[in-house]
Amino acid sequence: MNGVADRLYTIRFKVDETSHLVIDDQQTCLACKTKECTHFCPADVYDWHEVEKMTSVAFENCIECGTCRIGCPEHNISWVYPKGGHGITYKFG
Ligand code: SF4
Ligand code: SF4
């Protein structure tokens, strides 16, 4: 049996070279007690680094669910749509 996977949807992914997710102010992250971004993101994009005192953003893992647009209690994450042709695309066939 060939082609089953072809009939199911496939996900194509191109990594943009520029992050579409930006932490506005790392000082705000430093003061943030809950670090909710490290919990609500289903793709584990955000990570808090205790030594460097900063939140890292693994934007290439983002599946564009949109949660972080509203999830940060400090509204400290800027979210910009990836440029055309980048990001995740769902293809049905
Ligand atoms: S939840 Fe917001 S303020 Fe807190 S660490 Fe994450 S991005 Fe920074
Ligand atoms: S859009 Fe969703 S997957 Fe992407 S960084 Fe935000 S919470 Fe994570």
Side-chain angles (χ1 to χ4, degrees):
M1 291 287 284
N2 214 355
V4 172
D6 293 340
R7 286 189 213 109
L8 299 173
Y9 72 89
T10 58
I11 297 175
R12 296 183 299 129
F13 189 74
K14 289 190 209 169
V15 177
D16 199 352
E17 67 280 1
T18 307
S19 177
H20 59 290
L21 303 160
V22 179
I23 301 288
D24 292 331
D25 180 15
Q26 290 287 349
Q27 291 301 314
T28 301
C29 292
L30 180 60
C32 174
K33 296 215 183 331
T34 54
K35 308 282 192 286
E36 285 171 45
C37 59
T38 64
H39 302 296
F40 63 61
C41 175
D44 289 334
V45 166
Y46 302 98
D47 200 9
W48 172 252
H49 298 268
E50 190 57 41
V51 175
E52 294 88 353
K53 306 287 186 206
M54 64 169 290
T55 302
S56 63
V57 183
F59 67 92
E60 65 274 16
N61 294 340
C62 174
I63 57 170
E64 299 175 23
C65 75
T67 304
C68 57
R69 299 172 78 180
I70 55 173
C72 172
E74 306 296 333
H75 307 290
N76 195 29
I77 301 170
S78 291
W79 207 97
V80 181
Y81 274 100
K83 293 191 289 288
H86 293 279
I88 205 161
T89 57
Y90 296 92
K91 182 182 176 188
F92 295 85

